[in-house]
């Protein structure tokens, strides 16, 4: 079968909550000119593939014949909560320009804390010319939870700045410049050797609430938390208690249990918490469409594709 015949009658339904559909649909049509591509509405005809972000359950209930569900982000936690067609493969974005964004965001948060740049910014506002004692990188080991597509890239970037780097994953990994820990058995040893904790885990039943009083207390005194994965990984009140009793020095939080972060949430005003609006690694439309279009065509040809989610594991 030629490429033309393979995708000549393919139907793709776009269903991304909170995303303006028109440019996506137009650019998907340009990338797959032989396919029929529409924004999903209740009652839309059956599609072969879905391009989704946090779709409503109704979309999946009305599309039992989907062969593939292509998520326009890296995290599939919102999808995994839904009833999915039994035979559909679920595919997450595999980097697509996100990894370098995540590396720059985490390095920025780390270096801002390590070099005390917030303190210098306060001084400058007060026209005060002052120096802080240089700190040693050796005293700031960075522990990255999750060494997947994003965590591995972040580990590499942090290593370039000569911080000691530790990584924790489900299965053992050997990465240059990274002291590897794996599984529950090695979790406490990983925490005890970490001062700056970076969360890049998927949100699954196993990782829900993983940053809590028990785990955060095990970090080195003066610990710092950078959560760029999901708000559900963190027990908010435990973080605040450990900041207030002085065990932790601060946190940069990009993700929250409720987004947008409610106006009354204490994170907004806490002097040692920096909040950003879930922006550490954004979906880039052009790269994402090129990746999804390429994978749909490869899947149609029966070729293996990267980024297929293990539905049992949940990521
Ligand atoms: P990934 O490639 O699926 O990697 C996940 C990593 O977590 C793997 O190393 C995996 O271990 C490890 N892991 C999973 N469950 C574990 C467990 N129970 N114990 C220990 N390690 C575990 O994911 P990714 O692409 O790097 O993305 C990570 C997360 O970042 C996404 O799920 C999403 O929630 C978040 N994210 C946030 C933003 C943002 O803007 N804030 C943007 C994109 C993504 P193995 O390697 O052994 O399987
Ligand atoms: C964003 O949070 C993503 O999972 O891509």
């Amino acid at each position: 079968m030629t490429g033309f015949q393979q995708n000549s009658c393919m139907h793709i339904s776009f269903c991304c909550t909170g995303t303006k559909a028109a440019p996506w649909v137009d650019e998907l049509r340009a990338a797959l000119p032989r396919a029929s591509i529409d924004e999903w509405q209740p009652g839309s005809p059956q599609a072969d593939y879905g391009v989704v972000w946090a779709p409503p359950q109704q979309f999946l209930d009305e599309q039992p014949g989907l062969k593939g569900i292509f998520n326009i982000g890296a995290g599939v936690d919102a999808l995994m909560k839904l009833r999915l067609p039994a035979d559909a493969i679920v595919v997450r974005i595999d980097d697509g320009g996100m990894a370098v964004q995540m590396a720059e965001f985490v390095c920025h948060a780390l270096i801002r804390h390590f070099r005390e740049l917030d303190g210098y910014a306060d001084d400058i506002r007060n026209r005060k010319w002052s120096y802080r004692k240089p700190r040693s990188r050796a005293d700031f080991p960075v522990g990255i939870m999750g060494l997947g597509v994003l965590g591995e890239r972040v580990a590499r970037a942090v290593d370039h700045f000569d911080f000691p780097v530790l990584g924790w994953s489900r299965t053992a990994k050997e990465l240059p410049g990274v002291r590897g820990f794996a599984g529950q058995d090695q979790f406490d040893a990983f925490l005890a050797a970490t001062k700056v904790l970076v969360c890049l885990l998927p949100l699954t039943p196993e990782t829900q609430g993983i940053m809590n009083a028990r785990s955060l207390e095990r970090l080195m005194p003066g610990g710092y938390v950078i959560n760029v994965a999901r708000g559900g990984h963190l027990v908010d009140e435990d973080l605040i208690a450990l900041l207030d009793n002085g065990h932790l020095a601060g946190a940069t939080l990009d993700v929250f249990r409720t987004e947008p972060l409610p106006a009354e949430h204490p994170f907004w005003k806490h002097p040692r918490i920096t909040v950003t609006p879930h922006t550490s690694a954004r979906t880039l439309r052009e790269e994402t469409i090129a990746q999804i279009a390429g994978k749909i065509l490869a899947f149609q040809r029966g070729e293996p594709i990267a980024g297929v989610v293990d539905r049992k594991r949940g990521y």
Side-chain angles (χ1 to χ4, degrees):
M1 218 197 289
T2 65
F4 169 78
Q5 286 165 322
Q6 281 169 14
N7 70 7
S8 57
C9 54
M10 176 204 311
H11 184 73
I12 299 174
S13 192
F14 181 87
C15 182
C16 293
T17 303
T19 304
K20 217 166 140 206
W24 281 85
V25 170
D26 288 351
E27 290 173 35
L28 276 164
R29 284 178 181 148
L32 294 166
R34 313 269 178 213
S36 121
I37 304 172
D38 292 299
E39 182 182 6
W40 176 79
Q41 308 289 346
S44 286
Q46 179 64 56
D48 301 295
Y49 300 102
V51 174
V52 306
W53 180 254
Q57 182 62 53
Q58 187 183 358
F59 168 74
L60 296 157
D61 290 344
E62 287 187 8
Q63 298 289 330
L66 287 175
K67 293 188 267 187
I69 301 173
F70 289 81
N71 193 54
I72 67 163
V76 291
D77 44 295
L79 255 184
M80 291 297 117
K81 288 188 206 138
L82 302 173
R83 282 185 311 280
L84 304 174
D87 297 327
I89 56 161
V90 175
V91 186
R92 45 68 57 92
I93 281 297
D94 196 7
D95 189 349
M98 281 189 168
V100 69
Q101 295 179 67
M102 196 54 99
E104 71 199 2
F105 185 96
V106 170
C107 287
H108 176 268
L110 166 67
I111 290 166
R112 206 182 76 232
H113 172 59
F114 173 66
R115 296 294 301 268
E116 302 185 80
L117 295 179
D118 289 346
Y120 281 110
D122 284 345
D123 290 350
I124 286 161
R125 265 192 294 276
N126 296 316
R127 300 190 180 187
K128 184 174 162 198
W129 184 278
S130 67
Y131 292 106
R132 286 164 173 75
K133 190 165 172 272
R135 294 162 149 185
S136 164
R137 280 169 169 66
D139 295 334
F140 282 78
V142 179
I144 301 166
M145 297 196 288
L147 289 175
V149 175
L150 303 181
E152 189 273 341
R153 182 67 184 82
V154 168
R156 202 149 38 93
V158 172
D159 180 48
H160 275 296
F161 288 106
D162 291 347
F163 289 92
V165 185
L166 302 82
W168 182 68
S169 45
R170 201 176 46 82
T171 56
K173 305 248 173 309
E174 277 186 34
L175 300 174
V178 180
R179 186 174 159 207
F181 295 79
Q184 214 46 56
D185 292 350
Q186 295 181 8
F187 188 45
D188 285 357
F190 162 79
L191 293 169
T194 291
K195 183 136 174 189
V196 178
L197 182 68
V198 178
C199 182
L200 270 168
L201 293 165
L203 186 63
T204 66
E206 282 178 30
T207 65
Q208 175 83 34
I210 192 164
M211 287 182 286
N212 53 39
R214 184 199 169 279
S215 57
L216 296 177
E217 263 164 9
R218 282 172 162 72
L219 295 177
M220 292 167 65
Y224 193 88
V225 172
I226 301 175
N227 188 15
V228 278
R230 287 290 183 265
H233 287 122
L234 178 67
V235 179
D236 297 0
E237 48 281 16
D238 290 1
L239 174 74
I240 288 176
L242 287 163
L243 287 169
D244 291 347
N245 76 14
H247 182 66
L248 296 180
T252 291
L253 307 175
D254 185 51
V255 286
F256 305 92
R257 284 176 178 260
T258 304
E259 294 182 3
L261 185 63
E264 65 283 4
H265 198 288
F267 284 167
W268 283 116
K269 283 201 177 149
H270 198 287
R272 280 180 285 140
I273 294 179
T274 299
V275 166
T276 53
H278 198 145
T279 193
S280 50
R282 304 287 294 272
T283 292
L284 303 177
R285 191 167 66 230
E286 198 178 323
E287 285 87 336
T288 300
I289 287 174
Q291 188 177 119
I292 290 176
K295 285 182 180 179
I296 288 177
L297 293 176
F299 183 75
Q300 289 276 103
R301 293 191 296 266
E303 294 168 7
I305 53 176
V308 177
V309 170
D310 178 333
R311 285 172 56 170
K312 273 213 192 85
R313 243 175 23 182
Y315 71 95

